[in-house]
Every structure is written in C-alpha cells, then in structure tokens.
C-alpha cells in the first residue's frame, strides 16, 4: 500500500449524553464556536490526502448530508452583495471530494458501523475518524500521522494517548510494553476495562488506519454483553500475527467532545484562540 484515500466516519450514534440538544441534531453537528465537529474531522481527513468520505449514518442524520451540500442560491446572493467571506464559509467541501452515505440500520456498535463500509472500501487500507474526538486543527494532523505510519509499517495503526485513571474504563486500552518511539507495536488491546484490569493508561483515540482484513474479523466478532460489535475486539484478533497492529502516540491536543466537560473545554480553548473574540473571552473569564 502506498496511499490511503478513503475515510469512514461513523455518525450513527445516538448522542444520549447531549440530549435534548441531540434529539433532532446529530452530536457530530454540534459546533466548536461556529464549525460543526464533523467539519473539523472532514477537514483533517482532506488535509491528510483522503478523497472519499464514507459516512455511516442513522435515520435522523440528514443534516450531515445537507451540511456538505452546496447552497448555490445563497452563495449567489452573498456573491452579488460582495460578501465573499460568507461565500467561503458556505463552501464546506471541495468539489473533487466524493461523499457517500451508508445507513447503519441498527445502532449495534462501532465495529458494526465500520463493517457497513466493507463494499465501498473494498480491498484497501482505510481511515476511521470519530468526529467527537476533537483534535485541535493547528499544527498536528492525527490522520496524516497514522497514514504515514501505516505506509511505513505496511500495517494497521491506531492513535493512542495517556488517559487519567478515572477515564480508563471509557476507552479501548492498549499495552505496548516499553515504548521505543512514537510508533510502537501493540501487545494487547481491550475495550473499556476496569482500572484494575487495564494493562496500561494508554487509551485509543478516535483515529484509526486499518487493513481491509478487519472486515472479515468484524464479520466473525461476537457481540458484547450490551449487544454491540466492538471494533476493539476485532483489532485484538489482528494481534494473532506479529507486526499487524501499531499504536501511534498522538501529538496534538485532543478533547473528548462525547462528554459535556470535554466539549466545553474544546470550546473554551478554541475561543481563546479565536482572533475575533479571544480578548473579550479572556476578560470575561477573569471577571466571571
Ligand atoms: C469508542 C471505542 C473505544 C475508543 C473510543 C475513542 O468508544 O469503542 O475503544 O477508545 O471510541 O473515543 P465510544 O467513545 O464510542 O464509547
């Protein structure tokens, strides 16, 4: 494999932690300042060389498709009024990018969502991006880091970061033994272990580059106790052979926007860097 051009965005989740905001709006459409989470994720993918976006959706997610559609009437109106900055804001996707929407059918877990992309991905390595793991776009591109590592290792690579003890049970956790560099071979991986059972504090972040072998493994992965097919369980089967699965240490700043606190932290951090409002935000925080 010399390049990776397809990215899968599982967006079929129910977003229960953000109800009622997510009753009719997908959580991936929640904005950090003025841009939805899904658009940050898509921009990261495109910057990393991805040209086909595959969204795995559920019934109430039409707004994600709408968001990436052109809006010619409004664009023309802004154009005529000389409001070019607004025209630019409406351009949410370059025209050379292909997008596809695949219904997940039932919300049966991340592994099940990824499996729905099997026919479109075919026999190629591909990227998986969970938009609610927001990685600040300045400087570090996690998807590009994984793609480069996968090409160099000719293997699957997933993004990891140390997580605090009280969060260990909310992540896939990997054991890499003694880290030797930024990219390390994975010895074991387990989905959401208790702190006592966790092999380390290295949590899997929502960025993956996977070999197409994963589809066959997912097809043969049993559902967990909650009835979900976990991607982590299929990844664990990749470890039957050596040098099949690597962990890349995330260099960027990430916020878990699947939780209220992470979402607020991401918003505050981004506001403090937004030229238009940062001074007023600082002043506001000082006086709050
Ligand atoms: C999923 C994965 C988990 C991973 C996490 C990253 O969990 O199952 O292994 O660590 O994404 O965000 P979820 O957040 O969907 O519960």
């Amino acid at each position: 494999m010399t390049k990776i051009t397809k990215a899968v965005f599982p967006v079929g989740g129910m977003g229960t932690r953000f109800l009622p905001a997510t009753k009719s709006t997908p959580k991936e459409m929640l904005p950090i300042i003025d841009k939805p989470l899904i658009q940050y994720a898509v921009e990261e993918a495109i910057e990393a060389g991805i040209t086909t976006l595959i969204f795995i959706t559920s019934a109430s997610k039409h707004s994600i498709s709408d968001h990436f559609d052109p809006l010619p009437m409004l664009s023309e109106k802004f154009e005529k009024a000389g409001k070019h900055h607004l025209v630019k804001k409406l351009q949410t996707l370059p025209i050379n990018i292909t997008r596809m929407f695949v219904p997940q059918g039932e919300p049966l877990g991340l592994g099940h969502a990824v499996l729905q992309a099997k026919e479109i991905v075919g026999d190629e390595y591909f990227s998986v991006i969970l938009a609610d793991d927001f990685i600040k776009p300045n400087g570090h591109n996690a998807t590009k880091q994984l793609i480069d590592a996968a090409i160099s290792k000719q293997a699957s690579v997933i993004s990891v970061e140390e997580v605090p003890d009280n969060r260990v049970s909310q992540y896939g956790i990997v054991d890499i033994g003694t880290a030797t560099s930024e990219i390390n071979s994975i010895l074991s991986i387990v989905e959401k272990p208790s702190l006592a059972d966790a092999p380390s504090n290295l949590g899997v972040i929502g960025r993956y580059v996977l070999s197409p072998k994963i589809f066959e493994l997912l097809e043969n992965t049993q559902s967990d106790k909650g009835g979900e097919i976990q991607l982590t369980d299929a990844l664990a089967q990749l470890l039957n052979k050596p040098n099949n699965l690597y962990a890349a240490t995330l260099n960027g700043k990430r916020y878990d926007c699947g939780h209220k606190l992470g979402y607020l932290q991401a918003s505050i951090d981004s506001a403090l860097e937004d030229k238009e409002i940062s001074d007023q935000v600082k002043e506001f925080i000082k006086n709050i």
Side-chain angles (χ1 to χ4, degrees):
M1 156 257 307
T2 54
K3 61 179 187 171
I4 291 164
T5 60
K6 292 175 180 166
V8 173
F9 299 85
V11 292
M14 289 179 288
T16 42
R17 290 193 197 100
F18 280 94
L19 281 170
T22 47
K23 192 173 168 203
S24 64
T25 304
K27 69 173 170 184
E28 295 80 7
M29 284 299 292
L30 295 176
I32 301 295
I33 313 289
D34 54 5
K35 203 192 277 187
L37 287 167
I38 190 68
Q39 193 180 332
Y40 287 100
V42 161
E43 286 174 2
E44 176 186 319
I46 293 172
E47 191 185 78
I50 297 293
T51 51
T52 299
L53 315 174
I54 305 160
F55 298 91
I56 311 299
T57 68
S58 67
S60 61
K61 303 273 175 151
H62 305 295
S63 59
I64 292 180
S65 157
D66 293 347
H67 181 74
F68 292 109
D69 268 348
L71 221 49
M73 299 241 293
L74 195 55
S75 286
E76 273 167 38
K77 203 175 148 190
F78 287 152
E79 198 76 69
K80 276 189 194 142
K83 295 180 175 166
H84 305 295
H85 67 292
L86 293 182
V87 175
K88 224 171 148 222
K89 286 202 173 188
L90 287 180
Q91 289 160 353
T92 44
L93 203 64
I95 41 172
N96 60 327
I97 301 296
T98 304
R99 75 211 128 109
M100 294 176 169
F101 294 85
V102 182
Q104 190 178 353
E106 287 174 274
L108 295 180
L110 180 58
H112 178 259
V114 170
L115 186 53
Q116 307 314 304
K118 181 183 170 194
E119 299 305 323
I120 298 178
V121 169
D123 197 23
E124 291 174 31
Y125 274 71
F126 64 104
S127 138
V128 175
I129 300 183
L130 308 185
D132 59 3
D133 269 321
F134 170 75
I135 298 173
K136 270 179 75 185
N138 47 348
H140 185 78
N141 186 316
T143 296
K144 175 92 173 58
Q145 180 197 21
L146 294 188
I147 289 178
D148 290 346
I151 291 171
S152 120
K153 300 284 184 193
Q154 294 292 303
S156 300
V157 188
I158 63 182
S159 202
V160 299
E161 168 181 85
E162 263 190 39
V163 296
D165 283 359
N166 63 346
R167 286 284 163 103
V168 160
S169 63
Q170 292 164 4
Y171 289 91
I173 300 288
V174 301
D175 181 10
I176 56 168
T178 312
T180 52
S181 65
E182 194 178 270
I183 317 291
N184 295 282
S185 196
I186 293 180
L187 307 175
S188 71
I189 181 167
V190 52
E191 179 70 357
K192 299 183 178 149
S194 67
L195 182 60
D197 291 339
S200 78
N201 268 50
L202 274 185
V204 177
I205 303 316
R207 301 292 186 276
Y208 309 73
V209 164
L210 301 175
S211 149
K213 275 184 237 154
I214 201 74
F215 293 123
E216 200 190 322
L217 297 175
L218 281 168
E219 277 167 340
N220 294 310
T221 298
Q222 299 296 315
S223 307
D224 66 6
K225 277 182 261 154
E228 296 197 342
I229 297 174
Q230 297 300 343
L231 181 57
T232 301
D233 293 342
L235 290 171
Q237 296 171 57
L238 272 181
L239 297 174
N240 291 344
K241 287 201 191 125
N243 305 329
N244 249 353
L245 182 62
Y246 289 83
T249 310
L250 179 75
N251 290 321
K253 180 91 185 117
R254 175 199 71 108
Y255 291 100
D256 180 354
C257 290
H259 289 88
K260 282 186 209 173
L261 181 61
Y263 178 69
L264 272 177
Q265 288 168 332
S267 301
I268 294 168
D269 188 340
S270 303
L272 287 172
E273 284 189 2
D274 186 317
K275 284 190 205 96
E276 249 176 67
I277 55 170
S278 66
D279 287 345
Q280 286 130 296
V281 174
K282 278 180 206 156
E283 199 56 31
F284 173 71
I285 291 174
K286 239 193 279 162
N287 297 321
I288 206 166

